[in-house]
Amino acid sequence: QVQLVESGGGSVQVGDSLRLSCSVSGLTFSRNAMAWFRRTPGKDRAFVAIIGWDDPSTFYAASVQGRFTISRDNAENTVYLQMNSLKPEDTAVYYCAAGPIATLRSSDYAYWGQGTQVTVST
């Protein structure tokens, strides 16, 4: 059974930092790209960041470039999202996703976590 579990969300002030974690089981973690998406109620999931499996290449949405950092620990089957200088527009439910190919489209991912809430207040 494939399982992805996010953690680390919370309620913070503008400019604060959070580190999200996603623990993965049931698949070959080292051979899957890992991505983070986020969603506000009533809206589609939006791409945030991705890290490849063949090499440690990363790519970010323009809205988080320079503030967020994605990383992975293959030995621990965990992917992280370090979020700095948080803004109110970062408020969303954050999801991790796994797939064998690197893609920015949420519909291409078969495996998803249940999400963790991040709230940024002015």
Side-chain angles (χ1 to χ4, degrees):
Q1 181 179 359
V2 176
Q3 186 173 15
L4 284 68
V5 181
E6 301 96 338
S7 62
S11 182
V12 299
Q13 297 289 108
V14 170
D16 285 350
S17 297
L18 284 173
R19 192 189 195 197
L20 307 183
S21 298
C22 176
S23 298
V24 180
S25 61
L27 54 74
T28 305
F29 180 81
S30 62
R31 291 301 182 95
N32 278 266
M34 297 296 303
W36 287 95
F37 292 79
R38 63 188 182 185
R39 181 171 66 186
T40 300
K43 300 180 181 179
D44 292 335
R45 285 177 291 195
F47 170 78
V48 176
I50 189 170
I51 185 166
W53 62 265
D54 189 60
D55 59 28
S57 60
T58 59
F59 188 78
Y60 300 89
S63 58
V64 306
Q65 183 73 44
R67 299 187 297 118
F68 291 11
T69 302
I70 187 172
S71 61
R72 66 190 296 163
D73 186 337
N74 288 346
E76 299 294 331
N77 288 359
T78 303
V79 63
Y80 305 95
L81 185 68
Q82 178 67 44
M83 305 184 294
N84 297 329
S85 301
L86 284 163
K87 305 174 180 179
E89 50 264 45
D90 295 319
T91 296
V93 177
Y94 284 72
Y95 300 86
C96 64
I101 59 173
T103 174
L104 277 56
R105 299 197 304 179
S106 62
S107 60
D108 290 335
Y109 289 88
Y111 304 112
W112 293 86
Q114 293 185 1
T116 184
Q117 176 71 47
V118 172
T119 302
V120 185
S121 301
T122 303

